[in-house]
Amino acid sequence: MALSDQVGALVVTLQNALSPVEHVRSSSLKQLQEWSLLPTFYHSLIIVVQYRQELQREIRLQAALQFKNGVDKYWRRGAPNGIPMDEKLEIRPKLLAMVDEPDRAIAKTLALSIAKIARLDYGFNWDDLPHSLLQSLQTGLSHPTAQYGKLVLHRSLLFLHATIKSLSSNRIMKGRLLIKTVGGQLFPALKEVYERILRDAAEKLESQGLNGVGGAQGNAEEVEDLELAVLAFKCLAKLVVFAYADASADEVAKAFFTSTPATLATLLNFRLRLLTHALSQGQLPATSENRLSFLTKLIKSHIKLYRTLLSHDASVFAKMGDAPQQVLKVVWDSLLQAGSQTGTISDDRTSLHPEPLVVASLLLLKSCMGDWASESPLSIPSDFAPQFLDVIVTKFLPLRNSDLEKWREDPEEWMNEEEADRWEFELRPCAEHVLQSLLNHYHEILGPRLVSLLQTANASTDPGAGLLLKEGVYCAFGRSSSDLRNTIDFDAWLESTLAPEATGTADNDRIIRRRIAWLLGKWAEQDLAPETSTKVYSLLIHLMSPNASTDTAIRLTAARSLAKCGDTWDFDRNVFLPFLPSAVEQVVALLGEVSLPDSQMRLNTTLGIIIDRMQTDIIPYAPRLSEVLATLWSAATENHFQTSVLGTLTKLTEALGEQSVGLEAQAWPIIQRSVDPSLDSHVYLQEDGLELWQAFVKRASTLSGEMVSLLPLLVSLLAKGTDVLPRVLKILESYLLLDSLRVLQMFGNEIFQAFEILLDDLSLEALKQILRTMEMVFQSAPIDAWAMSLESSNTMLRLVGAVLKNDNPQIATKYLCTLARILLAGPSTFEQLIQATAVKLGSASPAHIFDALVNLWIERVDNMAQASQRKLTALALAQLLPSTQCDILSRLQDLTSVWSGVLAETEENADGDAELYQNAEDYVADEYDFGDTAESTRRTELTKRDPVRSVRMDAVLKEQLSRVQALHGGPDVFQATYLSKVDPALLDELLRRLNGQLAG
């Protein structure tokens, strides 16, 4: 078949896209990206995939991948540069025609493409999809050439499974209706196909055992019947769960489901019997492993079906006749068999009892018994829960020889594996998880049984088995401490048993000592009495220390439990205080001994909790701790751990308060390297570095040289306006509160240039934060320190322009309040700033701007939510009374109304403050900002100096009215010229309020 010129050029480009030469590859990929926007490109890709004999596999696979990726972007209706409808009509049948694609990787890619298109088109333009795939199935089943027929059957099932999976994931109403339609068309035929395939697979297993075909690639591939069965079963399982509102109400679906327990039992029997025979003959050949793999997958698919249906709708599972009880029995028998041969459980797929299969079975039984808060959907025999408990505790919880060997070889690594949350994948964590759920439901029944098992372990004549059983029972008591607190007297148990065992030195008993160290942390959550907590702390300090009772795993476990003790709500620092020196010493010692990042992370967490809970009691240890943390941070190879260290340093800074100045030598270099955007690591460290920076500045008493050295970095972060801007603004506020004059003298121009950049198309929330910080500048420093920077940076121009042009009342109000702050800081300077702004605007005179501002202040005052904002506006308008820059006196009636309204709102004290003014949005505390800091005092003092809180409104008005009367010829002239034009009732009300005759 000859290639057209267009397709030929595409083939060359696809080949170059696979080139090891960088520039050739990148230019070809760029060319493909450009072509992807053109019509016929995706049709040409499918043509390339169809050239099986003429083209290399890699080129065809690249074409298939390019097509699959393009479906995501351009197949959807209405997508920019979308694939035309006529091109789609040509592509869809070509895709379905490739059900005999010999290459597995290409076939899987095509299956994903079909599934993506089905989700977009089925129900609109591709209604014949299920029928076409069923026809392909029949072709595969009836083809005279068995090998080719199986190939077609496999690819058809592959396409079907991907399609059903894609459609079933669409949870909207339309998607649920479509999968129901598909189920109705496909399920009966698929069930027949599956049953036929399964019969053939069973016959071959009986006659050939595990000696199946290979999995060769290319045209010579032979397809294993069991693989076909897996694909067909997965299709049916998806349909049972998602294609029916209630599968138990459909005869065909229910018949399929009720047949599965017997099939599962047969498959489990096949696997165990045939694998035992094969292993007895020696090592399994690769072909046997291939067939064994598919057999195991089919078994796991059955268990997944049951778990998925239980999760999706447990009531449907329960209504499947006798099938649920049969499932319970089959899986239970399988677990009993695995429990009797725990040495054969491993993650090796050739093991008699594969660990993933045992894990899935345990989780299925957990769901059958009731997941946590939910009740069991089945009628469970009363004696089943105790039996299940016995199997878990005696068979699956005890450490295996492989665990003990790993512990001996590398205690630290083994400890980290034990701490990992892998209950979905590994047997012992899964057994603990299932046991916890079981005890949550049946603790009243199972508590006494656990006590009995503990007695059995203590009375065991086999020391090794007894220790392993005891370790498992201790694990059960720790996992469900809240459910078992009434089952056992923990205080007595601690005194009589746990304490002596924890301080023992026998090498074989170390598994018990580690488990006790773990268990103490679990029971610390149960509101222990102070004397009990004292004993627990003493034991944990002993188990953290290097002595004859411990090894690395035990010490790390004890450190982890100590963190849990400190992380309880009823932690009493006075009870822990005598143990603080030893705790700090041992944690620091362990940090110097361990080498794995996970270990360092957990120890750092413990240290952070100790610091956080002990607060000022940690001060004597601060120099040592800061050095240790700085060393750890510098030596760390993972950003995740550096982030953890930053968090601990922040806690130490908070605990030290104003004494944190002693940490500056270690902290400031770390802060700089964490937040510097020029370093790649800032992506991971910046937020935590800024939090540490803020913690330091909030607790500082003076602006140190180290703080000043980081100001350029702070200003650059301010100008960038990234997602850390809120924190950066808070840090800038902290600097201003410390020494605003010094900050503005050094970086005033740069700060206002950054503000000017930021004040552009902002959301209300972002604007509030920026203007709040800007107002901090205006309040904390005299106007001479910042007025020039405000004007030269064009920030004043931006503020005025925003007020004059913004139609959003909330946003305009924020800008008006900020301008009022500037006006109150210096009325004459404000006039100069307005004049300079008018020159820059060009289109408005200063008088025009003043008049516009006065009008807006008057109009918007009622939109101001806070009383403090209304008083701020009233004060600003009062300051303008003597001004010659605007015709403010022409608005005297409106001004009288504004002033009377503000005076009427509340009764101010002698300083001009009132409770109503304390609801301002001035400052929102940080989420970790507990207790008083030096900055809290500085903020309080600044608030007290705020004109809104420190001057009486009536006093200001009296003074300004007196001034303006003097400027306009005295009281009589002013009365005749201006006051006579004001509504007498309004004027009388204002005068009475000013004279104290009318209260607010």
Side-chain angles (χ1 to χ4, degrees), residues 703-989:
L703 193 61
S704 66
E706 288 83 358
M707 293 183 195
V708 172
S709 68
L710 286 183
L711 260 174
L713 183 56
L714 181 66
V715 174
S716 71
L717 290 171
L718 181 67
K720 289 181 181 297
T722 61
D723 56 355
V724 296
L725 179 62
R727 181 80 68 182
V728 172
L729 289 169
K730 290 283 185 67
I731 295 173
L732 178 56
E733 289 178 19
S734 298
Y735 270 86
L736 291 168
L737 287 166
L738 269 171
D739 194 339
S740 58
L741 274 176
R742 188 176 177 191
V743 171
L744 293 171
Q745 285 169 0
M746 291 187 293
F747 295 101
N749 290 334
E750 292 82 355
I751 289 172
F752 278 99
Q753 286 167 7
F755 283 148
E756 195 277 334
I757 294 170
L758 293 173
L759 291 175
D760 185 25
D761 193 25
L762 292 168
S763 67
L764 177 62
E765 191 57 41
L767 179 68
K768 284 164 59 177
Q769 295 180 39
I770 294 167
L771 292 182
R772 183 189 65 213
T773 304
M774 196 181 300
E775 290 182 27
M776 174 74 73
V777 176
F778 304 152
Q779 289 180 261
S780 62
I783 194 167
D784 293 343
W786 46 265
M788 187 177 296
S789 298
L790 177 66
E791 190 278 326
S792 63
S793 66
N794 289 331
T795 304
M796 185 66 180
L797 177 65
R798 178 79 73 174
L799 292 172
V800 172
V803 168
L804 298 180
K805 298 176 183 177
N806 206 300
D807 295 328
N808 185 312
Q810 287 182 298
I811 291 178
T813 296
K814 297 300 176 187
Y815 280 114
L816 284 168
C817 289
T818 300
L819 288 171
R821 284 285 177 198
I822 301 172
L823 174 54
L824 285 182
S828 60
T829 305
F830 183 78
E831 292 183 2
Q832 295 170 16
L833 289 169
I834 292 296
Q835 290 170 358
T837 301
V839 172
K840 291 181 180 179
L841 283 174
S843 59
S845 66
H848 173 79
I849 295 174
F850 268 112
D851 289 339
L853 290 177
V854 169
N855 289 337
L856 285 169
W857 271 317
I858 293 171
E859 291 171 6
R860 301 291 189 188
V861 71
D862 291 333
N863 294 123
M864 297 176 181
Q866 304 292 333
S868 58
Q869 295 174 328
R870 294 190 288 275
K871 181 177 178 181
L872 175 67
T873 301
L875 288 171
L877 289 169
Q879 292 296 329
L880 281 178
L881 275 177
S883 174
T884 60
Q885 295 293 322
C886 60
D887 188 17
I888 190 170
L889 293 178
S890 65
R891 302 296 303 273
L892 197 54
Q893 172 148 324
D894 295 321
L895 293 172
T896 302
S897 177
V898 170
W899 292 327
S900 293
V902 171
L903 288 169
E905 281 193 288
T906 186
E907 189 73 28
E908 297 179 345
N909 62 23
D911 296 326
D913 200 2
E915 185 177 352
L916 196 61
Y917 301 150
Q918 297 173 14
N919 298 323
E921 301 174 313
D922 294 339
Y923 177 69
V924 179
D926 299 296
E927 61 272 15
Y928 69 92
D929 192 10
F930 302 113
D932 293 330
T933 62
E935 181 169 307
S936 302
T937 304
R938 290 192 287 269
R939 284 189 181 275
T940 301
E941 291 173 352
L942 183 68
T943 301
K944 289 179 180 179
R945 298 197 303 271
D946 183 354
V948 174
R949 309 280 292 276
S950 62
V951 297
R952 288 183 60 90
M953 185 74 227
D954 55 0
V956 171
L957 276 175
K958 288 177 183 178
E959 178 186 351
Q960 293 302 100
L961 286 170
S962 297
R963 287 184 62 194
V964 75
Q965 285 176 357
L967 289 172
H968 290 81
D972 294 337
V973 175
F974 189 76
Q975 169 69 35
T977 308
Y978 296 104
L979 294 182
S980 61
K981 299 176 183 178
V982 179
D983 183 286
L986 269 179
L987 183 59
D988 179 64
E989 180 187 349

Side-chain angles (χ1 to χ4, degrees), residues 64-65 67-69 71-72 95 105-119 126 158-163 165-166:
L65 291 169
F67 179 82
K68 176 180 72 69
N69 296 337
V71 168
D72 288 326
L95 286 170
I106 295 175
K108 288 180 180 179
T109 307
L110 292 172
L112 290 173
S113 298
I114 291 170
K116 291 173 184 288
I117 294 171
R119 178 154 179 161
W126 207 8
L158 190 67
F159 292 178
L160 262 173
H161 178 248
T163 300
K165 185 177 181 181
S166 177

Side-chain angles (χ1 to χ4, degrees), residues 68-104:
K68 176 180 72 69
N69 296 337
V71 168
D72 288 326
K73 294 181 180 179
Y74 304 116
W75 196 280
R76 188 182 302 276
R77 291 182 300 278
N81 303 302
I83 301 171
M85 182 58 68
D86 56 347
E87 188 174 349
K88 293 180 181 180
L89 291 173
E90 292 187 65
I91 289 173
R92 285 193 291 252
K94 284 184 169 63
L95 286 170
L96 295 180
M98 287 189 276
V99 288
D100 59 347
E101 169 56 51
D103 187 273
R104 275 183 178 261

Side-chain angles (χ1 to χ4, degrees), residues 599-649:
S599 305
Q600 293 174 326
M601 182 77 74
R602 293 189 177 96
L603 289 168
N604 183 61
T605 299
T606 300
L607 190 58
I609 290 173
I610 292 173
I611 292 170
D612 187 48
R613 301 315 297 265
M614 298 308 293
Q615 289 298 304
T616 53
D617 290 322
I618 206 70
I619 290 176
Y621 315 97
R624 173 85 187 283
L625 291 177
S626 63
E627 291 178 6
V628 169
L629 291 170
T631 302
L632 286 172
W633 195 91
S634 300
T637 58
E638 294 185 2
N639 297 133
H640 187 47
F641 179 55
Q642 287 183 313
T643 298
S644 176
V645 173
L646 285 169
T648 304
L649 271 171

Side-chain angles (χ1 to χ4, degrees), residues 30 35 109 225 238 283 329 495 581 773 996:
K30 182 179 179 182
W35 283 346
T109 307
D225 286 294
K238 284 285 183 187
Q283 188 175 6
K329 182 180 185 309
E495 185 69 31
T773 304

Side-chain angles (χ1 to χ4, degrees), residues 16-74:
N16 289 337
L18 300 169
S19 171
V21 181
E22 171 63 27
H23 75 274
V24 174
R25 185 172 66 255
S26 59
S27 62
S28 299
L29 290 172
K30 182 179 179 182
Q31 180 65 73
L32 289 171
Q33 180 62 36
E34 293 173 359
W35 283 346
S36 69
L37 306 178
L38 303 177
T40 74
F41 173 72
Y42 289 100
H43 183 236
S44 299
L45 286 174
I46 294 301
I47 292 174
V48 172
V49 179
Q50 288 180 312
Y51 281 103
R52 299 173 186 171
Q53 304 300 326
E54 295 85 351
L55 297 177
Q56 297 175 9
R57 170 188 179 273
E58 288 74 17
I59 295 175
R60 296 176 60 238
L61 179 58
Q62 176 72 358
L65 291 169
Q66 290 284 338
F67 179 82
K68 176 180 72 69
N69 296 337
V71 168
D72 288 326
K73 294 181 180 179
Y74 304 116

